[in-house]
Amino acid sequence: MTITSPVVTTIMKRRSYLVALASALLLIDDRTRSSTTCDALLAPVVSAFRLRHQQQQQHQQQPAKRVTVHYVPSTIAIGTTWGTRTCTSTSTTRPSLVVAHGWLDNFLPKPYDAEADAAADEQRRTEYPEQYAATYELLSRSAILPSDTGTDAEFIRPLLKQTQLECREIKVVYDANVHGWDAAAFHSKVDGCGAAVVIVKTDDGATVVGGYNPKGWSGLGGARPSVASFLFYKRNGGGGGGGGGDDSEGNRRIYQKLRKVGGGGLACANDDPRGGIYFGPDALVIPLQPGPRERMAQSKLGPYFERGPDDLSSILSGGAATLEDLKVWVGVYADGEDVPYSGAVLDMTSG
C-alpha cells in the first residue's frame, strides 16, 4: 500500500516512530480510506511525538546531576553532584540531602562484642528480673529493711533477690489462724495484691517451707505462669550443689530455693476462687477445703519444681503434713500506685 501524505512523510523521517506508525497504519484500509483520512487518524500521534521532542530539547539545556550514595553506620545519605551527565531530571531545583536511619542494620550488623552483650544481658536482668529463672543466691543481711526487724520478714528478705519485692516493704495480708482455713477467706485477702510469699509451718514445729508466686492471685480461674516462681525449704547444714553452702558474700545459706522447671507454665496452677494454694499441680498444694483436712498440705517434687541439691522427692516429710501456721506476705503499695499482676494475666508457658 502506498500513501502520499505530508503527515506520513514527517513521521517516516524519524526511525524511532516506526513502531507507532505501523500500529496506526493497521487501522487504515486502502480500499476505503483516502490520504486525508489517514492524516486525520495519525495527527494525534504526530502531535504527541512533537511534544516529547520539544521536552527533550529543553531538558538537554538544563544541568544534569549525578546521584551518589554514601554509607555510614545506621545511615544512608543520598547526595547530588551537579554538572556530569550521568542521570537526568526535569527539576531545576537542587535537591536537599535525604537521610534514612537504621534500615541497613539488619543487613550490615555490628561485629559481635562479648563484653557489650554481657553488659546488655545484665541490664535486662536488672530491669526485668522475673523474665528469668529464680536465682539461687540470697541477699545479705545488710539488705534487711528496718520494717523487717523482729518479724518473719527478716528471713524472707534474703530469699527475694532478683524479684519485684527485693527492695519493697512487705506485710502479712493473710493469716489462716486469724482469717480462717478456707479458700474463700484466702482469696478475699490475697486477690489483687500482686506478687506473694507463702510461709507454712507444720504441726511438728520443725518444718518451715514456702514458695514465691510472682503473679499472685486474682480469683479469676485458670493458671498464672511464671518462670521466676520458686519453692524454698530450711536446710540442715550447707554444702551440695545447686546453690547450697555459702553465697557470694560468704553468708551461710539457711534456706534452699527450688526453681520452676519446664518453663513457666502452671507455676500457680489453680487460681479458682474456690481453690487454695497450688504451686504447680502437685509441688506444694494447700487446698484449704473445709472439714477435717482443712489444714492438710501435700508435695511432690520433680515434674514442675526441681528436687534441688538434696534430691528431695517432696518438700514435706513423707509427702504430706498437717499445718500449724500459714501466712501470705505481699508488697506494700501507696494509694493509687499500680500493683503489678493484680488482675488477669496471659496464660502462656514462657512465663
Side-chain angles (χ1 to χ4, degrees):
M1 167 179 119
T2 301
I3 301 177
T4 57
S5 168
V7 175
V8 174
T9 302
T10 301
I11 295 176
M12 293 296 289
K13 289 180 179 180
R14 300 193 61 84
R15 296 175 59 187
S16 61
Y17 299 155
L18 289 177
V19 175
L21 175 60
S23 299
L25 290 177
L26 290 175
L27 301 174
I28 302 174
D29 186 338
D30 62 340
R31 293 174 299 180
T32 59
R33 305 286 177 88
S34 65
S35 62
T36 302
T37 303
C38 178
D39 284 353
L41 289 171
L42 296 179
V45 178
V46 174
S47 298
F49 290 159
R50 285 177 176 172
L51 178 60
R52 180 181 177 186
H53 179 62
Q54 292 173 358
Q55 291 175 341
Q56 289 178 343
Q57 288 181 330
Q58 293 174 358
H59 181 69
Q60 290 173 357
Q61 297 173 0
Q62 299 172 355
K65 61 181 180 180
R66 181 175 68 248
V67 176
T68 57
V69 179
H70 309 281
Y71 174 73
V72 295
S74 301
T75 303
I76 285 296
I78 304 174
T80 302
T81 302
W82 292 78
T84 306
R85 182 176 174 75
T86 56
C87 67
T88 60
S89 171
T90 58
S91 174
T92 59
T93 304
R94 181 187 295 268
S96 59
L97 183 69
V98 179
V99 180
H101 294 278
W103 69 276
L104 271 186
D105 287 351
N106 291 332
F107 299 95
L108 300 173
K110 296 179 180 180
Y112 176 71
D113 187 332
E115 293 184 1
D117 187 68
D121 182 68
E122 183 63 27
Q123 182 178 358
R124 287 193 298 270
R125 287 179 178 271
T126 300
E127 294 179 356
Y128 310 104
E130 294 185 354
Q131 295 300 312
Y132 299 86
T135 177
Y136 292 117
E137 295 182 359
L138 305 180
L139 293 172
S140 67
R141 292 193 59 82
S142 61
I144 295 176
L145 303 180
S147 59
D148 299 337
T149 305
T151 70
D152 285 345
E154 280 193 81
F155 77 80
I156 295 174
R157 182 66 59 187
L159 295 166
L160 299 180
K161 186 171 184 176
Q162 294 185 10
T163 72
Q164 58 187 289
L165 299 180
E166 179 175 343
C167 300
R168 184 177 291 275
E169 290 186 13
I170 56 176
K171 65 179 181 180
V172 175
V173 71
Y174 170 70
D175 183 340
N177 288 323
V178 174
H179 302 116
W181 291 81
D182 64 86
F186 166 74
H187 279 281
S188 70
K189 296 298 182 179
V190 304
D191 286 356
C193 292
V197 180
V198 176
I199 302 287
V200 300
K201 297 178 183 178
T202 59
D203 60 357
D204 60 10
T207 303
V208 179
V209 300
Y212 173 63
N213 177 6
K215 302 291 178 67
W217 294 269
S218 66
L220 298 176
R224 297 174 76 81
S226 176
V227 73
S229 182
F230 61 85
L231 299 177
F232 59 88
Y233 64 97
K234 189 174 182 178
R235 302 196 68 190
N236 295 320
D246 296 344
D247 62 19
S248 58
E249 298 185 21
N251 299 299
R252 195 64 175 170
R253 281 195 174 88
I254 299 176
Y255 290 91
Q256 174 65 44
K257 294 181 182 180
L258 301 176
R259 287 177 172 174
K260 179 72 176 64
V261 296
L266 298 177
C268 170
N270 186 355
D271 190 30
D272 192 291
R274 296 165 296 181
I277 300 170
Y278 291 79
F279 283 92
D282 53 10
L284 177 59
V285 176
I286 310 172
L288 294 174
Q289 299 303 306
R293 297 174 60 85
E294 64 182 7
R295 293 173 178 250
M296 288 298 298
Q298 57 190 22
S299 170
K300 177 184 178 182
L301 298 176
Y304 293 92
F305 285 81
E306 65 180 343
R307 292 173 176 265
D310 297 320
D311 194 28
L312 300 178
S313 60
S314 173
I315 204 172
L316 299 171
S317 178
T322 300
L323 303 183
E324 177 185 88
D325 189 47
L326 165 61
K327 291 184 177 69
V328 177
W329 293 71
V330 299
V332 177
Y333 298 87
D335 292 341
E337 185 179 359
D338 180 57
V339 180
Y341 308 114
S342 58
V345 297
L346 186 62
D347 186 2
M348 297 181 64
T349 59
S350 63

